[in-house]
């Protein structure tokens, strides 16, 4: 069982990544640290709006900001991404194992009971023959009826 703090961390991280702009910011930070201005450049939004997105990512533990003289670069926390990846991989592996077991079961269920043996070359193809009648009850055994008997008068 996972620790509640781990789940809360995962919840915050996944919630932060639910927004496409924040996912794009994370993707861009995989290339290297950048300032808010550099991150905001391709967007048609204010620096303040980009800063709000970064604050959500920061609260989720996905990015950190540092101070380098006048520059405040934003840094992607790869350890946090690793935790998300481990969680996803764990559940993906479980789901794949379950699907593999299901496929195996379905394969066994649909496999013919006797292996198909190819007919020798040059031999005629067998024609379908009507099924033989099924013998009812064994001799000297009374037949059993599923219908209720009527009382005799």
């Amino acid at each position: 069982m996972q620790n509640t703090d781990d789940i809360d961390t995962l919840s915050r991280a996944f919630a932060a990544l639910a927004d496409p702009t924040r996912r794009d910011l994370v993707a861009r930070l995989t290339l290297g640290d950048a300032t808010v201005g550099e991150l905001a450049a391709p967007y048609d939004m204010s620096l303040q709006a980009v800063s709000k997105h970064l604050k959500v990512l920061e609260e989720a533990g996905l990015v950190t900001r540092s101070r380098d003289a006048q520059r405040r670069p934003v840094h992607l926390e790869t350890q946090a991404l690793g935790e998300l990846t481990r969680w996803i991989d764990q559940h993906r592996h479980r789901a794949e194992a379950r699907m593999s077991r299901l496929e195996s079961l379905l394969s066994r269920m649909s496999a013919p009971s006797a292996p198909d043996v190819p007919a020798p070359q040059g031999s005629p193809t067998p024609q379908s023959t009507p099924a033989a009648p099924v013998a009812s009850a064994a001799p000297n055994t009374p037949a059993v009826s599923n219908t209720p008997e009527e009382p005799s008068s």
Side-chain angles (χ1 to χ4, degrees):
M1 182 85 188
Q2 283 189 331
N3 185 334
T4 307
D5 292 338
D6 292 342
I7 293 172
D8 290 343
T9 302
L10 286 172
S11 295
R12 283 192 302 274
F14 281 121
L17 293 172
D19 184 272
T21 301
R22 290 192 286 266
R23 286 194 306 272
D24 187 57
L25 290 169
V26 167
R28 292 182 54 220
L29 287 168
T30 61
L31 302 174
D33 293 358
T35 64
V36 175
E38 292 167 342
L39 290 170
Y43 299 108
D44 187 24
M45 66 175 75
S46 67
L47 287 175
Q48 184 180 9
V50 172
S51 288
K52 285 183 180 182
H53 282 295
L54 290 170
K55 183 172 173 60
V56 172
L57 292 170
E58 193 171 14
E59 289 172 353
L62 295 169
V63 300
T64 55
R65 296 188 211 194
S66 60
R67 188 173 292 274
D68 179 21
Q70 295 296 325
R71 206 169 169 262
R72 293 202 58 196
V74 179
H75 174 76
L76 179 64
E77 291 298 326
T78 55
Q79 180 183 0
L81 287 181
E83 291 172 19
L84 293 171
T85 302
R86 278 189 293 282
W87 186 89
I88 291 169
D89 284 345
Q90 175 186 8
H91 293 284
R92 182 178 51 83
H93 289 303
R94 285 181 184 171
E96 286 173 350
R98 188 178 69 243
M99 292 307 294
S100 179
R101 288 191 306 269
L102 177 61
E103 286 173 2
S104 177
L105 176 65
L106 292 174
S107 177
R108 285 193 310 264
M109 290 175 66
S110 66
S113 56
D116 290 335
V117 179
Q121 290 187 1
S123 63
T125 308
Q127 302 294 321
S128 58
T129 56
V134 178
S136 55
N140 300 329
T141 306
V144 178
S145 171
N146 289 334
T147 57
E149 293 183 24
E150 293 183 27
S152 23
S153 36

